Amino acid sequence: MSLTLLEGNEAVARGAVAAGCRFFAGYPITPATTILNAMLSLLPPLGGVCLQGEDEIASIGACLGASMAGLKVMTATSGPGISLYSEQISFAVGSEIPIVIIDVQRLGPSTGSATRGADGDINFLRWGNSGGMPVIVLAPVNVADCFTLTIQAFNLAEKFRCPVFVASNKEIAMTRESVDLDALQIPEIINRAVPPEGTKFLPFQVQGDRAIPDFLPIGGKALVRQTSSTHGANGYITTDHKEIAGIINRLKTKIQSAVDEFSFYETYTAKKSKTLIISYGVTSRAAKSLFNELENTKRPVSLLILKTLWPVPATVIRRAARDFNRVVVVEMNLGQYIHEIERILPDKTIELLAQMDGRLITPHAIREKIFHG
């Protein structure tokens, strides 16, 4: 065993490097800045590039350019920066540019409280692109998750050629924990697919029944066209309604149809429990503490911790809730993800414990909600 004392942001940086990230650009913002600091130390010795942009817009733009040139890229920010990223997130979605975006959430709205955590960006991450196309959002619970889920995020970005978010939180990002990195289950590293030798390359053409086009870098041997406008397989702007419908539907289904492949979660089931708690992020730690406290009592509870938030892992949620009539959703916001739970479980009694005031939700608060409403 080789324990390392890390904060969540440091673990994100190490996970990115392990996944093959060699370009990072970001702008300092609490509580994400230590990711930039860590990448400044990690990337140059590996021949990588770490850039502090003049602002958030320039930072994500630099990342998209580096990704189109063939590098694995990452940026990190918090709520105000995510707002500024929005236009280029849409570009990455529509032009299928792989990028990992770390959102270390803090209390909002607007500038909010820079040193207080919350999970207020959950819906914005999903719906903050023009056109409403699906994206992938993963949510770590602890420092170990920050390492492994960042690697998973890179794999998913490369495989599906899309932006992938890691929805961290100030309390996870800036809390230090001892982690045995060597003992963690590290997934096999995935790289974006290249076209077979001798085939004619079109930048957005899909082969056979595949939903994701092959990739060649801009500036390489083949001509690669890239545009932020609606385009066809050849990369040229198109107004053909059939061609437009085809690419829009493909952008949607390539991610939504595959969610069962990357539905990360933990379940804890207690015998004779009548209530299922559903939580994510740092709040899951309080929920797990309550589960442990009540497991061998006369009033146990069960717990589902979601680590894939978007697309919604409906299969996981339905399976976990199958034997329960009562579900309590616990969120560090005013109630965002609960609407998805209500949609998926229309026949259940769904209740919400919401808190967004700069404090963590405690095991006691969850207990009070369950037993005293």
Side-chain angles (χ1 to χ4, degrees):
M1 179 180 293
S2 178
L3 294 179
T4 304
L5 187 64
L6 293 174
E7 70 170 29
N9 282 347
E10 293 173 317
V12 165
R14 292 198 184 198
V17 169
C21 177
R22 292 300 180 266
F23 187 94
F24 178 93
Y27 187 77
I29 182 171
T30 303
T33 302
T34 50
I35 297 177
L36 169 60
N37 295 343
M39 296 302 271
L40 278 169
S41 298
L42 293 171
L43 284 182
L46 299 173
V49 175
C50 184
L51 172 69
Q52 178 180 318
E54 62 264 38
D55 55 33
E56 285 87 353
I57 296 172
S59 298
I60 188 173
C63 286
L64 295 186
S67 182
M68 286 186 280
L71 295 178
K72 291 187 178 183
V73 305
M74 183 175 77
T75 186
T77 189
S78 193
I82 288 290
S83 299
L84 292 169
Y85 281 3
S86 181
E87 181 180 5
Q88 303 220 52
I89 291 169
S90 300
F91 180 25
V93 170
S95 291
E96 300 181 85
I97 305 170
I99 180 173
V100 172
I101 302 172
I102 312 298
D103 179 19
V104 186
Q105 298 170 91
R106 71 190 203 190
L107 184 67
S110 191
T111 304
S113 297
T115 59
R116 295 291 185 269
D119 289 327
D121 301 344
I122 298 304
N123 277 347
F124 189 87
L125 296 180
R126 167 59 184 92
W127 298 105
N129 68 84
S130 55
M133 292 293 103
V135 295
I136 298 172
V137 179
L138 309 180
V141 172
N142 52 34
V143 171
D145 280 349
C146 287
F147 183 82
T148 57
L149 288 183
T150 298
I151 296 175
Q152 296 284 9
F154 272 94
N155 279 350
L156 293 171
E158 294 288 303
K159 180 177 180 178
F160 294 100
R161 286 190 58 176
C162 68
V164 178
F165 296 90
V166 176
S168 185
N169 178 295
K170 179 261 175 181
E171 309 300 344
I172 299 171
M174 304 190 76
T175 297
R176 291 188 177 275
E177 297 181 89
S178 294
V179 183
D180 185 357
L181 296 178
D182 295 332
L184 298 178
Q185 291 187 339
I186 307 303
E188 183 179 349
I189 302 303
I190 295 174
N191 298 308
R192 61 196 78 166
V194 298
E197 290 287 339
T199 59
K200 181 181 178 181
F201 176 72
L202 292 176
F204 297 100
Q205 183 179 56
V206 294
Q207 304 291 338
D209 59 353
R210 293 181 60 229
I212 300 98
D214 294 324
F215 175 87
L216 284 177
I218 285 179
K221 296 179 180 179
L223 177 63
V224 178
R225 301 182 191 91
Q226 185 62 273
T227 174
S228 61
S229 297
T230 306
H231 50 266
N234 59 10
Y236 282 118
I237 296 173
T238 183
T239 58
D240 182 273
H241 67 276
K242 291 185 179 179
E243 200 167 28
I244 291 172
I247 192 169
I248 293 297
N249 287 330
R250 183 174 62 77
L251 291 175
K252 177 182 178 181
T253 58
K254 74 173 183 178
I255 295 175
Q256 287 189 342
S257 65
V259 65
D260 288 347
E261 298 177 20
F262 52 87
S263 294
F264 306 118
Y265 65 96
E266 296 177 19
T267 54
Y268 301 92
T269 304
K271 294 180 180 180
K272 299 182 180 180
S273 59
K274 298 180 179 179
T275 298
L276 174 68
I277 302 171
I278 297 180
S279 66
Y280 56 87
V282 69
T283 304
S284 298
R285 300 172 71 139
K288 176 69 182 307
S289 178
L290 182 64
F291 168 84
N292 290 335
E293 177 187 336
L294 299 177
E295 183 177 13
N296 296 314
T297 69
K298 294 181 179 180
R299 297 194 294 181
V301 295
S302 292
L303 172 63
L304 170 63
I305 299 174
L306 295 175
K307 298 185 181 182
T308 298
L309 297 183
W310 303 103
V312 179
T315 300
V316 170
I317 294 168
R318 290 192 182 102
R319 184 169 58 236
R322 181 176 50 207
D323 298 325
F324 298 90
N325 291 322
R326 186 192 186 201
V327 176
V328 175
V329 180
V330 186
E331 302 190 72
M332 280 184 69
N333 51 52
L334 300 184
Q336 294 189 15
Y337 207 74
I338 187 175
H339 303 300
E340 298 300 323
I341 305 301
E342 291 171 334
R343 177 180 63 83
I344 292 168
L345 305 175
D347 58 332
K348 309 289 185 182
T349 298
I350 312 295
E351 301 175 30
L352 173 67
L353 171 58
Q355 182 176 303
M356 191 174 177
D357 59 7
R359 298 176 300 162
L360 289 168
I361 297 175
T362 64
H364 177 74
I366 303 173
R367 180 179 183 139
E368 286 296 300
K369 173 64 182 179
I370 291 173
F371 296 126
H372 304 291

